[in-house]
Protein backbone atom coordinates (compact mmCIF):
# COMPACT_ATOMS: atom_id res chain seq x y z
CA UNK A 1 0.00 0.00 0.00
CA UNK A 2 1.45 3.44 -0.95
CA UNK A 3 2.24 5.86 1.86
CA UNK A 4 -0.47 8.44 2.46
CA UNK A 5 0.61 12.09 2.04
CA UNK A 6 0.59 14.29 5.16
CA UNK A 7 -2.66 16.01 6.11
CA UNK A 8 -3.10 19.23 4.17
CA UNK A 9 -1.26 17.97 1.11
CA UNK A 10 -4.36 16.35 -0.38
CA UNK A 11 -3.69 13.91 -3.17
CA UNK A 12 -1.50 16.29 -5.13
CA UNK A 13 2.12 15.55 -5.88
CA UNK A 14 2.70 19.29 -6.31
CA UNK A 15 4.93 21.23 -3.97
CA UNK A 16 3.19 23.42 -1.44
CA UNK A 17 4.37 27.00 -1.74
CA UNK A 18 5.49 28.45 1.54
CA UNK A 19 6.38 32.03 2.34
CA UNK A 20 10.10 32.53 2.76
CA UNK A 21 11.21 34.74 5.63
CA UNK A 22 13.50 36.69 3.28
CA UNK A 23 10.49 37.47 1.06
CA UNK A 24 8.56 38.72 4.09
CA UNK A 25 11.49 40.91 5.17
CA UNK A 26 11.83 42.39 1.68
CA UNK A 27 8.10 43.11 1.49
CA UNK A 28 8.35 44.86 4.87
CA UNK A 29 11.43 46.78 3.68
CA UNK A 30 9.65 48.00 0.58
CA UNK A 31 6.54 49.02 2.55
CA UNK A 32 8.60 50.88 5.16
CA UNK A 33 10.55 52.69 2.46
CA UNK A 34 7.39 53.76 0.65
CA UNK A 35 6.02 55.08 3.96
CA UNK A 36 9.18 57.17 4.39
CA UNK A 37 10.74 55.06 7.15
CA UNK A 38 14.17 54.40 5.67
CA UNK A 39 15.66 53.25 8.98
CA UNK A 40 13.13 50.44 9.32
CA UNK A 41 13.52 49.58 5.63
CA UNK A 42 17.29 49.35 6.00
CA UNK A 43 16.92 47.11 9.04
CA UNK A 44 14.78 44.61 7.10
CA UNK A 45 16.93 44.75 3.96
CA UNK A 46 20.17 44.30 5.87
CA UNK A 47 18.77 41.32 7.80
CA UNK A 48 18.44 39.53 4.45
CA UNK A 49 21.96 40.53 3.43
CA UNK A 50 23.40 39.47 6.82
CA UNK A 51 21.92 35.99 6.48
CA UNK A 52 23.26 35.70 2.93
CA UNK A 53 26.79 36.75 3.90
CA UNK A 54 26.91 34.03 6.57
CA UNK A 55 29.34 35.90 8.82
CA UNK A 56 31.80 36.84 6.07
CA UNK A 57 32.22 40.63 6.47
CA UNK A 58 33.98 40.91 3.10
CA UNK A 59 30.84 40.24 1.05
CA UNK A 60 27.44 41.89 0.78
CA UNK A 61 28.04 44.99 2.86
CA UNK A 62 25.02 46.62 4.49
CA UNK A 63 23.09 49.08 2.37
CA UNK A 64 23.34 52.53 3.97
CA UNK A 65 21.50 54.95 1.68
CA UNK A 66 18.46 56.67 3.11
CA UNK A 67 17.43 58.22 -0.21
CA UNK A 68 13.99 56.75 -0.92
CA UNK A 69 14.55 56.21 -4.64
CA UNK A 70 18.00 54.66 -4.18
CA UNK A 71 16.73 52.45 -1.37
CA UNK A 72 13.77 51.33 -3.48
CA UNK A 73 16.21 50.32 -6.24
CA UNK A 74 18.37 48.42 -3.71
CA UNK A 75 15.35 46.58 -2.31
CA UNK A 76 14.10 45.66 -5.80
CA UNK A 77 17.58 44.40 -6.70
CA UNK A 78 17.76 42.34 -3.51
CA UNK A 79 14.37 40.77 -4.34
CA UNK A 80 15.66 39.88 -7.79
CA UNK A 81 18.79 38.11 -6.56
CA UNK A 82 17.43 36.67 -3.30
CA UNK A 83 14.28 35.24 -4.87
CA UNK A 84 15.79 34.25 -8.23
CA UNK A 85 14.21 31.16 -9.78
CA UNK A 86 11.29 31.27 -7.32
CA UNK A 87 8.65 32.67 -9.72
CA UNK A 88 8.44 36.16 -8.17
CA UNK A 89 9.97 38.19 -11.00
CA UNK A 90 6.90 38.50 -13.22
CA UNK A 91 4.70 39.69 -10.38
CA UNK A 92 7.39 42.06 -9.10
CA UNK A 93 7.75 43.63 -12.56
CA UNK A 94 3.99 44.12 -12.85
CA UNK A 95 3.72 45.59 -9.35
CA UNK A 96 6.69 47.88 -9.95
CA UNK A 97 5.29 49.13 -13.26
CA UNK A 98 8.31 47.82 -15.18
CA UNK A 99 6.71 44.91 -17.03
CA UNK A 100 6.01 46.69 -20.32
CA UNK A 101 9.56 47.98 -20.68
CA UNK A 102 11.26 44.73 -19.65
CA UNK A 103 9.10 42.42 -21.74
CA UNK A 104 9.19 44.69 -24.80
CA UNK A 105 12.99 44.77 -24.63
CA UNK A 106 12.93 40.96 -24.63
CA UNK A 107 10.58 40.86 -27.62
CA UNK A 108 7.73 39.43 -25.54
CA UNK A 109 4.21 40.42 -26.54
CA UNK A 110 2.88 41.96 -23.33
CA UNK A 111 0.02 44.43 -23.35
CA UNK A 112 -0.25 47.07 -20.64
CA UNK A 113 -3.78 47.38 -19.32
CA UNK A 114 -4.46 43.72 -20.04
CA UNK A 115 -1.70 41.43 -18.86
CA UNK A 116 -1.45 42.85 -15.33
CA UNK A 117 -4.39 40.59 -14.46
CA UNK A 118 -5.56 37.15 -15.52
CA UNK A 119 -8.89 36.43 -17.20
CA UNK A 120 -11.72 35.32 -14.93
CA UNK A 121 -13.04 31.91 -16.01
CA UNK A 122 -16.41 32.30 -17.71
CA UNK A 123 -17.85 29.58 -15.47
CA UNK A 124 -17.12 31.77 -12.42
CA UNK A 125 -18.75 34.80 -14.04
CA UNK A 126 -21.81 32.64 -14.83
CA UNK A 127 -21.98 31.30 -11.26
CA UNK A 128 -21.82 34.84 -9.85
CA UNK A 129 -25.09 35.72 -11.59
CA UNK A 130 -23.57 38.82 -13.16
CA UNK A 131 -21.82 40.12 -10.03
CA UNK A 132 -18.42 39.45 -11.60
CA UNK A 133 -17.40 40.99 -14.88
CA UNK A 134 -14.50 39.98 -17.08
CA UNK A 135 -11.18 41.76 -16.62
CA UNK A 136 -10.43 44.36 -19.34
CA UNK A 137 -8.98 43.04 -22.57
CA UNK A 138 -10.30 39.48 -22.28
Amino acid sequence: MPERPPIGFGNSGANIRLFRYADLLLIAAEAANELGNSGEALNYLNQVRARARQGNPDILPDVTTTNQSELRTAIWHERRVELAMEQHRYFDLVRQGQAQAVFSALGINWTAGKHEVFPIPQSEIDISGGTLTQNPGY
Side-chain angles (χ1 to χ4, degrees):
M1 175 177 266
E3 187 175 320
R4 185 176 176 92
I7 294 174
F9 283 74
N11 293 322
S12 171
N15 291 331
I16 303 298
R17 178 173 274 195
L18 301 176
F19 224 84
R20 284 191 50 219
Y21 187 56
D23 189 13
L24 178 69
L25 288 172
L26 292 169
I27 289 169
E30 189 171 347
N33 186 53
E34 295 306 314
L35 292 172
N37 190 342
S38 60
E40 185 178 352
L42 284 169
N43 177 44
Y44 293 133
L45 173 59
N46 288 323
Q47 283 184 55
V48 175
R49 295 176 71 82
R51 191 252 341 133
R53 85 173 66 96
Q54 297 182 357
N56 184 343
D58 297 328
I59 60 173
L60 290 174
D62 281 352
V63 174
T64 58
T65 184
T66 56
N67 176 282
Q68 187 179 41
S69 179
E70 291 173 4
L71 187 50
R72 179 184 303 119
T73 300
I75 293 166
W76 287 355
H77 174 75
E78 197 71 25
R79 283 190 64 78
R80 186 170 183 186
V81 296
E82 177 68 29
L83 305 173
M85 309 301 287
E86 295 183 26
Q87 293 78 46
H88 290 271
R89 181 79 171 140
Y90 174 82
F91 299 102
D92 282 348
L93 289 173
V94 170
R95 183 176 46 77
Q96 296 163 0
Q98 299 178 12
Q100 181 70 54
V102 170
F103 294 133
S104 292
L106 295 172
I108 296 171
N109 183 15
W110 194 89
T111 306
K114 175 181 179 183
H115 291 133
E116 291 93 343
V117 296
F118 294 109
I120 299 172
Q122 186 61 47
S123 60
E124 297 302 316
I125 293 171
D126 294 343
I127 290 170
S128 79
T131 303
L132 292 177
T133 58
Q134 187 57 268
N135 284 324
Y138 291 99

Short mmCIF file of all heavy atoms in Angstrom, two decimals, residues 28-65:
data_model
loop_
_atom_site.label_atom_id
_atom_site.label_comp_id
_atom_site.label_asym_id
_atom_site.label_seq_id
_atom_site.Cartn_x
_atom_site.Cartn_y
_atom_site.Cartn_z
N ALA A 28 8.38 43.88 3.78
CA ALA A 28 8.35 44.86 4.87
C ALA A 28 9.29 46.03 4.58
O ALA A 28 8.97 47.19 4.86
CB ALA A 28 8.70 44.19 6.19
N ALA A 29 10.46 45.73 4.02
CA ALA A 29 11.43 46.78 3.68
C ALA A 29 10.85 47.73 2.64
O ALA A 29 10.95 48.95 2.78
CB ALA A 29 12.73 46.16 3.17
N GLU A 30 10.23 47.16 1.63
CA GLU A 30 9.65 48.00 0.58
C GLU A 30 8.52 48.86 1.14
O GLU A 30 8.41 50.05 0.83
CB GLU A 30 9.15 47.13 -0.57
CG GLU A 30 8.74 47.93 -1.78
CD GLU A 30 8.45 47.07 -2.99
OE1 GLU A 30 8.78 45.87 -3.00
OE2 GLU A 30 7.87 47.62 -3.95
N ALA A 31 7.66 48.27 1.96
CA ALA A 31 6.54 49.02 2.55
C ALA A 31 7.07 50.15 3.44
O ALA A 31 6.59 51.29 3.36
CB ALA A 31 5.64 48.09 3.33
N ALA A 32 8.04 49.85 4.27
CA ALA A 32 8.60 50.88 5.16
C ALA A 32 9.22 52.01 4.36
O ALA A 32 9.04 53.20 4.69
CB ALA A 32 9.63 50.25 6.11
N ASN A 33 9.93 51.67 3.30
CA ASN A 33 10.55 52.69 2.46
C ASN A 33 9.50 53.58 1.82
O ASN A 33 9.63 54.81 1.81
CB ASN A 33 11.44 52.05 1.40
CG ASN A 33 12.20 53.08 0.61
OD1 ASN A 33 12.89 53.93 1.15
ND2 ASN A 33 12.07 53.02 -0.71
N GLU A 34 8.44 52.98 1.30
CA GLU A 34 7.39 53.76 0.65
C GLU A 34 6.66 54.65 1.64
O GLU A 34 6.11 55.69 1.26
CB GLU A 34 6.41 52.85 -0.09
CG GLU A 34 7.03 52.09 -1.26
CD GLU A 34 7.74 52.98 -2.26
OE1 GLU A 34 7.18 54.03 -2.66
OE2 GLU A 34 8.88 52.65 -2.64
N LEU A 35 6.64 54.26 2.92
CA LEU A 35 6.02 55.08 3.96
C LEU A 35 6.99 56.12 4.53
O LEU A 35 6.65 56.84 5.46
CB LEU A 35 5.48 54.19 5.09
CG LEU A 35 4.30 53.31 4.70
CD1 LEU A 35 3.97 52.33 5.81
CD2 LEU A 35 3.08 54.16 4.35
N GLY A 36 8.20 56.17 3.98
CA GLY A 36 9.18 57.17 4.39
C GLY A 36 10.00 56.78 5.61
O GLY A 36 10.68 57.63 6.18
N ASN A 37 9.97 55.51 5.99
CA ASN A 37 10.74 55.06 7.15
C ASN A 37 11.97 54.29 6.67
O ASN A 37 12.02 53.07 6.70
CB ASN A 37 9.87 54.19 8.06
CG ASN A 37 10.53 53.91 9.39
OD1 ASN A 37 11.73 54.08 9.54
ND2 ASN A 37 9.73 53.49 10.34
N SER A 38 12.98 55.03 6.24
CA SER A 38 14.17 54.40 5.67
C SER A 38 14.95 53.59 6.70
O SER A 38 15.54 52.57 6.37
CB SER A 38 15.08 55.43 5.02
OG SER A 38 15.51 56.39 5.96
N GLY A 39 14.94 54.00 7.95
CA GLY A 39 15.66 53.25 8.98
C GLY A 39 15.09 51.85 9.16
O GLY A 39 15.84 50.87 9.23
N GLU A 40 13.78 51.75 9.21
CA GLU A 40 13.13 50.44 9.32
C GLU A 40 13.37 49.62 8.06
O GLU A 40 13.65 48.42 8.13
CB GLU A 40 11.63 50.63 9.56
CG GLU A 40 10.87 49.35 9.80
CD GLU A 40 9.39 49.59 10.07
OE1 GLU A 40 8.96 50.75 10.22
OE2 GLU A 40 8.66 48.58 10.11
N ALA A 41 13.28 50.26 6.90
CA ALA A 41 13.52 49.58 5.63
C ALA A 41 14.94 49.01 5.57
O ALA A 41 15.15 47.87 5.15
CB ALA A 41 13.26 50.52 4.46
N LEU A 42 15.91 49.81 5.99
CA LEU A 42 17.29 49.35 6.00
C LEU A 42 17.49 48.17 6.94
O LEU A 42 18.22 47.24 6.63
CB LEU A 42 18.23 50.49 6.40
CG LEU A 42 18.51 51.53 5.32
CD1 LEU A 42 19.22 52.74 5.91
CD2 LEU A 42 19.31 50.92 4.18
N ASN A 43 16.82 48.21 8.08
CA ASN A 43 16.92 47.11 9.04
C ASN A 43 16.46 45.80 8.38
O ASN A 43 17.15 44.78 8.45
CB ASN A 43 16.09 47.41 10.29
CG ASN A 43 16.09 46.26 11.27
OD1 ASN A 43 17.12 45.65 11.53
ND2 ASN A 43 14.93 45.95 11.79
N TYR A 44 15.30 45.82 7.74
CA TYR A 44 14.78 44.61 7.10
C TYR A 44 15.68 44.14 5.96
O TYR A 44 16.00 42.97 5.84
CB TYR A 44 13.36 44.83 6.58
CG TYR A 44 12.32 45.04 7.65
CD1 TYR A 44 11.41 46.07 7.55
CD2 TYR A 44 12.24 44.21 8.77
CE1 TYR A 44 10.43 46.27 8.52
CE2 TYR A 44 11.29 44.41 9.74
CZ TYR A 44 10.38 45.43 9.61
OH TYR A 44 9.43 45.62 10.57
N LEU A 45 16.07 45.09 5.11
CA LEU A 45 16.93 44.75 3.96
C LEU A 45 18.25 44.16 4.43
O LEU A 45 18.71 43.13 3.91
CB LEU A 45 17.17 46.00 3.11
CG LEU A 45 18.16 45.87 1.96
CD1 LEU A 45 17.73 44.80 0.97
CD2 LEU A 45 18.33 47.22 1.27
N ASN A 46 18.86 44.77 5.41
CA ASN A 46 20.17 44.30 5.87
C ASN A 46 20.10 42.99 6.65
O ASN A 46 21.09 42.27 6.72
CB ASN A 46 20.88 45.41 6.65
CG ASN A 46 21.34 46.52 5.71
OD1 ASN A 46 21.78 46.25 4.58
ND2 ASN A 46 21.24 47.76 6.15
N GLN A 47 18.93 42.64 7.20
CA GLN A 47 18.77 41.32 7.80
C GLN A 47 18.91 40.24 6.73
O GLN A 47 19.52 39.19 6.96
CB GLN A 47 17.40 41.19 8.47
CG GLN A 47 17.29 41.87 9.81
CD GLN A 47 15.93 41.61 10.44
OE1 GLN A 47 15.54 40.46 10.59
NE2 GLN A 47 15.24 42.68 10.79
N VAL A 48 18.34 40.49 5.56
CA VAL A 48 18.44 39.53 4.45
C VAL A 48 19.89 39.41 4.01
O VAL A 48 20.41 38.31 3.81
CB VAL A 48 17.53 39.94 3.27
CG1 VAL A 48 17.73 39.02 2.07
CG2 VAL A 48 16.07 39.97 3.70
N ARG A 49 20.56 40.53 3.87
CA ARG A 49 21.96 40.53 3.43
C ARG A 49 22.86 39.87 4.47
O ARG A 49 23.80 39.15 4.13
CB ARG A 49 22.41 41.95 3.11
CG ARG A 49 21.66 42.51 1.90
CD ARG A 49 22.02 43.95 1.62
NE ARG A 49 23.35 44.10 1.08
CZ ARG A 49 23.69 43.93 -0.19
NH1 ARG A 49 22.77 43.59 -1.07
NH2 ARG A 49 24.93 44.11 -0.58
N ALA A 50 22.59 40.08 5.76
CA ALA A 50 23.40 39.47 6.82
C ALA A 50 23.29 37.95 6.78
O ALA A 50 24.29 37.25 6.94
CB ALA A 50 22.97 40.01 8.18
N ARG A 51 22.10 37.44 6.56
CA ARG A 51 21.92 35.99 6.48
C ARG A 51 22.66 35.44 5.27
O ARG A 51 23.33 34.41 5.33
CB ARG A 51 20.42 35.65 6.39
CG ARG A 51 20.11 34.18 6.56
CD ARG A 51 19.67 33.42 5.32
NE ARG A 51 19.20 34.19 4.21
CZ ARG A 51 19.60 33.98 2.96
NH1 ARG A 51 20.51 33.07 2.67
NH2 ARG A 51 19.11 34.69 1.97
N ALA A 52 22.61 36.16 4.16
CA ALA A 52 23.26 35.70 2.93
C ALA A 52 24.78 35.72 3.05
O ALA A 52 25.46 34.87 2.48
CB ALA A 52 22.80 36.54 1.75
N ARG A 53 25.33 36.67 3.80
CA ARG A 53 26.79 36.75 3.90
C ARG A 53 27.35 35.72 4.86
O ARG A 53 28.55 35.46 4.86
CB ARG A 53 27.24 38.17 4.23
CG ARG A 53 27.26 38.60 5.64
CD ARG A 53 27.89 39.98 5.83
NE ARG A 53 27.15 41.04 5.24
CZ ARG A 53 26.28 41.81 5.88
NH1 ARG A 53 26.05 41.64 7.16
NH2 ARG A 53 25.65 42.77 5.25
N GLN A 54 26.53 35.12 5.67
CA GLN A 54 26.91 34.03 6.57
C GLN A 54 28.16 34.33 7.38
O GLN A 54 29.07 33.51 7.50
CB GLN A 54 27.07 32.72 5.80
CG GLN A 54 25.79 32.26 5.15
CD GLN A 54 25.93 30.94 4.43
OE1 GLN A 54 27.00 30.36 4.35
NE2 GLN A 54 24.82 30.45 3.91
N GLY A 55 28.23 35.54 7.95
CA GLY A 55 29.34 35.90 8.82
C GLY A 55 30.59 36.39 8.12
O GLY A 55 31.54 36.78 8.79
N ASN A 56 30.63 36.36 6.80
CA ASN A 56 31.80 36.84 6.07
C ASN A 56 31.65 38.35 5.84
O ASN A 56 30.87 38.77 5.00
CB ASN A 56 31.93 36.11 4.74
CG ASN A 56 33.18 36.50 3.98
OD1 ASN A 56 33.81 37.52 4.27
ND2 ASN A 56 33.54 35.70 2.99
N PRO A 57 32.39 39.17 6.58
CA PRO A 57 32.22 40.63 6.47
C PRO A 57 32.73 41.21 5.16
O PRO A 57 32.50 42.39 4.89
CB PRO A 57 33.01 41.16 7.66
CG PRO A 57 34.06 40.12 7.90
CD PRO A 57 33.42 38.80 7.53
N ASP A 58 33.41 40.41 4.35
CA ASP A 58 33.98 40.91 3.10
C ASP A 58 33.00 40.89 1.94
O ASP A 58 33.33 41.38 0.86
CB ASP A 58 35.22 40.10 2.73
CG ASP A 58 36.33 40.23 3.77
OD1 ASP A 58 36.43 41.32 4.38
OD2 ASP A 58 37.07 39.26 3.98
N ILE A 59 31.82 40.29 2.14
CA ILE A 59 30.84 40.24 1.05
C ILE A 59 29.53 40.85 1.49
O ILE A 59 29.23 40.93 2.68
CB ILE A 59 30.61 38.79 0.56
CG1 ILE A 59 30.10 37.91 1.70
CG2 ILE A 59 31.87 38.21 -0.03
CD1 ILE A 59 29.68 36.52 1.25
N LEU A 60 28.76 41.31 0.55
CA LEU A 60 27.44 41.89 0.78
C LEU A 60 27.40 42.89 1.93
O LEU A 60 26.73 42.67 2.95
CB LEU A 60 26.39 40.78 1.03
CG LEU A 60 26.03 39.90 -0.14
CD1 LEU A 60 25.12 38.78 0.31
CD2 LEU A 60 25.38 40.70 -1.24
N PRO A 61 28.08 44.00 1.79
CA PRO A 61 28.04 44.99 2.86
C PRO A 61 26.62 45.53 3.04
O PRO A 61 25.80 45.48 2.12
CB PRO A 61 28.99 46.09 2.37
CG PRO A 61 28.99 45.94 0.89
CD PRO A 61 28.81 44.47 0.62
N ASP A 62 26.34 46.04 4.23
CA ASP A 62 25.02 46.62 4.49
C ASP A 62 24.76 47.79 3.54
O ASP A 62 25.68 48.53 3.18
CB ASP A 62 24.94 47.14 5.93
CG ASP A 62 24.70 46.04 6.94
OD1 ASP A 62 24.45 44.89 6.53
OD2 ASP A 62 24.75 46.34 8.14
N VAL A 63 23.52 47.92 3.14
CA VAL A 63 23.09 49.08 2.37
C VAL A 63 22.92 50.21 3.37
O VAL A 63 22.38 50.01 4.47
CB VAL A 63 21.76 48.78 1.64
CG1 VAL A 63 21.22 50.02 0.95
CG2 VAL A 63 21.95 47.65 0.63
N THR A 64 23.38 51.41 3.02
CA THR A 64 23.34 52.53 3.97
C THR A 64 22.55 53.73 3.47
O THR A 64 22.26 54.63 4.26
CB THR A 64 24.76 52.99 4.33
OG1 THR A 64 25.44 53.38 3.13
CG2 THR A 64 25.53 51.89 5.04
N THR A 65 22.19 53.78 2.21
CA THR A 65 21.50 54.95 1.68
C THR A 65 20.14 55.13 2.33
O THR A 65 19.44 54.16 2.60
CB THR A 65 21.36 54.88 0.15
OG1 THR A 65 20.76 56.10 -0.31
CG2 THR A 65 20.46 53.72 -0.28
#
